[in-house]
Amino acid sequence: MALAIGIDIGGTKIAGGVVDAEGNILQSDRRGTPSRSAEALEAVVVDLVNEYKSEYEISSVGIGFAGFIDELRSRVLIAPNLGWKDEPLKLAIESKVGLPVVVENDANAAAWGEYKFGGIKLPKDMVCVTVGTGIGGGLVFDGALFRGAHGVAAEFGHMNVEPGGRLCACGNRGCWEQYASGNALVREARLLAAERRNEAQILLDLGDGTPEGVQGQHVTIAARKGDPVALAAFDSLARWLGQGIADLTSLLDPGCFVIGGGVSEAGDFLLGATRRAFMASLSGREMRPLPEIRLAVLGNKAGLVGAADLSRH
């Protein structure tokens, strides 16, 4: 049985696991993403790989990374949330672990993992939108992962949705991920909590009692308990998310959208509001065929599983 290691590197966490050829995770672990240092991050990945190598017979390593990856699946061209530029991640890891390494954009890896191992028959043309620290995207066209001419297709998070809007880590203003990501959700919740403290008691109590202490998981928990400020923050995110998906529908006309990433753990609570915003924004909505919008089946495991499988090929 061919075993591969999948590593999913995000802005706040590194998830690693041993994955078999059927997409089953035999062991998994999670580490914090070390600040902005390439060397420190690479050391965490190497430690995980060596730990798994000591217990399993491993054929290859797949790394899903939140950034622009070159067409050779080798270098991180730019990682806005970590401040990286032109980092030879494949070579750095391969030279230390002695295994073949493939580097892929984390949302591409998640899209592939969901398409191949999600357990649900998905259309041959699907779009994956990962809503986490930022927003990532993955495209599967005619049953194959589409990466574009230079390997950097589907960077949906950096579509401009608000000219002159919020400054993004990529250097531009008004990027989609500044309004519809996990970071955007927390920002909105903190602002609303500061303005409407009397209505935000559930939300504030989950943190340290201050708006600044509100974290992403607090917003989800508070919203489920009916906190009006948390609900308003989710409504804001869902409006931006649904509008962006409507724009992507006009451009790509996929059969399905799969919503993954950490924020998707809010489940149907997020999905319902996003679908309503999508329908309100979609051009020709009363006349055209509509794509399905569904939550990722594999959840946060999709990127890890997809990266491992891509490393086999």
Side-chain angles (χ1 to χ4, degrees):
M1 178 172 62
L3 299 180
I5 293 172
I7 305 288
D8 183 14
I9 301 174
T12 59
K13 58 81 182 173
I14 298 174
V18 178
V19 185
D20 68 18
E22 285 71 48
N24 301 304
I25 300 175
L26 307 185
Q27 180 180 336
S28 63
D29 299 273
R30 180 174 290 200
R31 304 281 192 273
T33 302
S35 62
R36 300 164 68 89
S37 165
E39 292 77 11
L41 187 149
E42 289 161 3
V44 173
V45 173
V46 169
D47 284 347
L48 276 172
V49 172
N50 286 334
E51 179 182 327
Y52 295 144
K53 279 178 62 182
S54 69
E55 300 182 37
Y56 301 91
E57 185 174 345
I58 303 297
S59 64
S60 58
V61 179
I63 299 175
F65 193 91
F68 290 25
I69 310 301
D70 72 354
E71 69 273 19
L72 299 178
R73 290 176 166 155
S74 174
R75 305 179 72 87
V76 178
L77 300 177
I78 181 172
N81 291 321
L82 292 175
W84 288 21
K85 291 184 179 179
D86 199 27
E87 182 67 28
L89 185 59
K90 171 184 168 72
L91 180 61
I93 302 300
E94 274 188 346
S95 65
K96 295 180 176 68
V97 302
L99 289 171
V101 174
V102 166
V103 182
E104 181 57 271
N105 173 269
D106 61 339
N108 281 350
W112 184 248
E114 196 67 34
Y115 179 77
K116 190 167 181 182
F117 299 109
I120 295 175
K121 182 66 174 177
L122 292 171
K124 291 192 299 180
D125 297 317
M126 61 157 278
V127 176
C128 182
V129 179
T130 57
V131 186
T133 304
I135 287 183
L139 299 172
V140 175
F141 285 162
D142 199 23
L145 189 64
F146 178 79
R147 304 182 72 248
H150 306 102
V152 295
E155 284 292 341
F156 304 142
H158 299 289
M159 297 187 305
N160 187 276
V161 298
E162 184 76 5
R166 294 172 181 160
L167 180 65
C168 182
C170 75
N172 289 335
R173 289 186 174 274
C175 292
W176 191 25
E177 69 176 40
Q178 292 303 308
Y179 301 89
S181 64
N183 280 349
L185 177 68
V186 172
R187 181 194 298 116
E188 185 71 11
R190 288 175 177 175
L191 287 172
L192 292 174
E195 296 172 358
R196 299 160 55 181
R197 281 179 175 268
N198 292 339
E199 300 175 73
Q201 202 57 54
I202 296 174
L203 179 61
L204 292 171
D205 286 348
L206 289 168
D208 61 5
T210 70
E212 294 74 21
V214 170
Q215 304 299 322
Q217 66 269 28
H218 301 153
V219 187
T220 300
I221 295 169
R224 286 176 173 157
K225 292 183 176 181
D227 184 280
V229 166
L231 289 167
F234 261 107
D235 282 345
S236 175
L237 182 146
R239 285 197 303 273
W240 284 104
L241 187 58
Q243 179 179 315
I245 291 173
D247 290 343
L248 289 172
T249 299
S250 296
L251 179 65
L252 300 171
D253 186 32
C256 179
F257 283 92
V258 175
I259 311 300
V263 177
S264 71
E265 293 178 358
D268 290 337
F269 178 76
L270 170 67
L271 196 61
T274 299
R275 284 171 173 159
R276 290 191 292 273
F278 165 79
M279 287 302 299
S281 303
L282 182 63
S283 176
R285 53 190 172 274
E286 296 178 356
M287 303 296 295
R288 64 178 296 159
L290 300 177
E292 182 183 8
I293 303 175
R294 64 183 311 142
L295 294 172
V297 174
L298 298 181
N300 277 334
K301 299 176 182 178
L304 186 158
V305 171
D309 189 67
L310 288 169
S311 76
R312 295 189 179 95
H313 309 290

